Amino acid sequence: MKLKEQMEEKITSKKNKIVIVVLYIFPTIIFCIFGIPKIMETYNESQNELNRDVTNIILPILFFVGVIYIITKFLDKFPVFIITKNGIEVRFFFKTKKYNWNEIEDIEIIGKKQFGNFFATPTEATTFNFKNKEEKIFWAESYTNSSEIRQVLERANKILLDSSKSFNSLNFETVTSLRTTEVIDIENQKIFNDNHVLSANGILFYAFLIFTLFIIFQNPSEIFEKYDKLLLINFFSLILCFAFSSSMNYFIFTEKHLIIKNSIWFWKKKIYDLENIKEIVIDMPFRSPICLRVITKNFNSNTYLASSLGNSTWRNLKKYIIERKIPLRDEILI
């Protein structure tokens, strides 16, 4: 178990900066490639009195400013949260709001909330329920240190629900990783897996794999002559093979462990001590196969797609998890 100590008595959420930079850079590049040349062309024509219409100057600028504004409003859905002993501070791009702990009724640490009207499935979130019925939502998957934030908020929620405790005792020390037993018990294994070859993703995987091999070996003498075209075709085929195979996980339970393996990547293995698991979630992300989300007691969360498992296997898995008295959340009511 690794501990991460906070130098100050506060913890600040961290956004994924790469995503933010890409969101702003992409429209800027488009504007530089298409917008600026059009503006310069129109300006030169107006100087030569060939064209007095400045529409082609104004429209690209308005479009660029509009796109940047929309991106900024979208990113404002994910403000910076600062947790202190006095309360929470929520920082948006152009404003900051502060709330004292006595304004908050309770905190739902784990669960799902609907994100706007654009996504077909709810998103993992932590919800602050205020006494005035207001809600503030911390979209966990949009922050790189959401597990640390949730650890501190879990302690804060316990203080909220126990009037005898004071927020002066709020601890900001966090656990970054949990120890996993190196020796795995191999007896009494319960395996939840189906024939991946007969699944939709399995059929597509082998179809693209065979197609790739066929393209390469149908005429070996032309490999070097048409290597550029073959390289492009095989590149996309391999990407599709990777996408289909990465979702073919299956699950093994032992007396003390949960083991996640992959039918194609047979060497790949992830092991969890059952005592370290806070909750298991059966979920179906947007336009994805059914998956198993494992949330550990330090709120690290990982999702494992399992496209090769049939509904009956999922139902048996759900029944088994309940029988083992492992906390389970079924988001799709399988």
Side-chain angles (χ1 to χ4, degrees):
M1 181 184 294
K2 294 183 180 179
L3 298 178
K4 183 178 179 180
E5 297 183 4
Q6 305 295 327
M7 300 301 293
E8 302 178 75
E9 292 188 330
K10 69 177 183 180
I11 184 170
T12 303
S13 64
K14 299 176 182 177
K15 297 181 184 181
N16 192 325
K17 294 181 179 178
I18 295 176
V19 173
I20 295 173
V21 170
V22 169
L23 282 174
Y24 280 114
I25 284 180
F26 181 72
T28 303
I29 292 174
I30 297 298
F31 179 71
C32 291
I33 293 174
F34 298 103
I36 292 179
K38 192 66 177 176
I39 291 171
M40 295 303 296
E41 178 186 341
T42 305
Y43 176 76
N44 290 332
E45 288 178 357
S46 66
Q47 290 295 100
N48 297 328
E49 298 186 352
L50 297 175
N51 184 2
R52 289 291 185 180
D53 186 4
V54 294
T55 304
N56 288 334
I57 295 178
I58 296 174
L59 284 181
I61 295 174
L62 288 178
F63 180 77
F64 176 68
V65 172
V67 170
I68 294 299
Y69 174 78
I70 292 170
I71 292 173
T72 302
K73 291 294 290 183
F74 174 76
L75 292 176
D76 242 4
K77 298 279 188 182
F78 315 103
V80 174
F81 286 79
I82 301 175
I83 316 300
T84 69
K85 290 188 176 182
N86 296 320
I88 65 171
E89 186 175 315
V90 186
R91 290 182 181 175
F92 301 90
F93 273 95
F94 304 111
K95 62 181 178 180
T96 298
K97 291 186 177 181
K98 294 183 179 181
Y99 304 92
N100 293 323
W101 287 116
N102 58 17
E103 297 179 61
I104 301 173
E105 185 74 36
D106 59 30
I107 307 170
E108 297 174 34
I109 307 298
I110 53 179
K112 286 202 165 189
K113 288 288 183 179
Q114 189 73 29
F115 182 79
N117 300 315
F118 299 102
F119 293 89
T121 56
T123 303
E124 195 70 25
T126 293
T127 306
F128 297 87
N129 296 312
F130 288 80
K131 292 179 180 178
N132 64 357
K133 306 305 179 183
E134 184 183 355
E135 282 186 350
K136 289 293 177 187
I137 299 176
F138 173 79
W139 302 105
E141 296 176 357
S142 301
Y143 299 87
T144 58
N145 65 335
S146 61
S147 62
E148 287 97 329
I149 294 289
R150 281 176 153 183
Q151 288 175 55
V152 175
L153 289 178
E154 183 180 44
R155 297 177 197 134
N157 192 47
K158 289 178 180 178
I159 297 174
L160 283 172
L161 299 176
D162 188 348
S163 57
S164 65
K165 293 182 179 180
S166 167
F167 275 95
N168 289 327
S169 63
L170 183 60
N171 183 10
F172 290 89
E173 190 177 76
T174 58
V175 178
T176 56
S177 63
L178 298 170
R179 182 177 297 173
T180 302
T181 306
E182 295 182 359
V183 179
I184 307 300
D185 47 320
I186 59 175
E187 296 182 357
N188 301 320
Q189 290 187 350
K190 185 70 174 178
I191 301 174
F192 295 91
N193 189 20
D194 287 328
N195 190 339
H196 73 280
V197 178
L198 301 179
S199 68
N201 278 25
I203 293 170
L204 290 170
F205 168 78
Y206 286 108
F208 277 105
L209 183 62
I210 293 169
F211 171 76
T212 302
L213 296 174
F214 174 76
I215 291 295
I216 293 174
F217 295 108
Q218 67 167 334
N219 198 340
S221 62
E222 295 183 356
I223 290 179
F224 295 104
E225 295 176 9
K226 301 180 179 178
Y227 75 94
D228 53 342
K229 295 180 181 179
L230 290 174
L231 185 63
L232 182 63
I233 293 172
N234 291 334
F235 174 73
F236 285 110
S237 294
L238 289 174
I239 287 177
L240 290 171
C241 286
F242 174 82
F244 292 131
S245 63
S246 63
S247 68
M248 287 189 275
N249 295 301
Y250 65 95
F251 313 104
I252 303 172
F253 280 86
T254 68
E255 186 64 31
K256 297 180 179 179
H257 299 96
L258 164 61
I259 305 168
I260 292 97
K261 301 189 75 175
N262 188 284
S263 298
I264 302 296
W265 305 349
F266 56 87
W267 62 90
K268 180 183 175 183
K269 180 166 63 176
K270 177 67 178 179
I271 302 170
Y272 291 94
D273 282 6
L274 293 181
E275 64 180 16
N276 289 338
I277 295 176
K278 186 174 188 67
E279 185 179 56
I280 291 177
V281 184
I282 298 176
D283 199 2
M284 183 182 287
F286 185 61
R287 292 184 178 178
S288 295
I290 300 176
C291 70
L292 202 72
R293 180 191 295 273
V294 181
I295 303 175
T296 58
K297 289 183 177 178
N298 66 335
F299 293 101
N300 277 330
S301 176
N302 288 296
T303 299
Y304 302 95
L305 299 175
S307 60
S308 58
L309 271 61
N311 287 339
S312 60
T313 304
W314 278 111
R315 284 191 286 269
N316 291 334
L317 174 59
K318 176 182 176 180
K319 181 181 177 182
Y320 180 81
I321 293 172
I322 293 172
E323 289 174 351
R324 292 291 303 269
K325 297 182 179 180
I326 302 168
L328 174 71
R329 177 165 33 115
D330 183 2
E331 290 287 351
I332 60 173
L333 301 176
I334 194 165

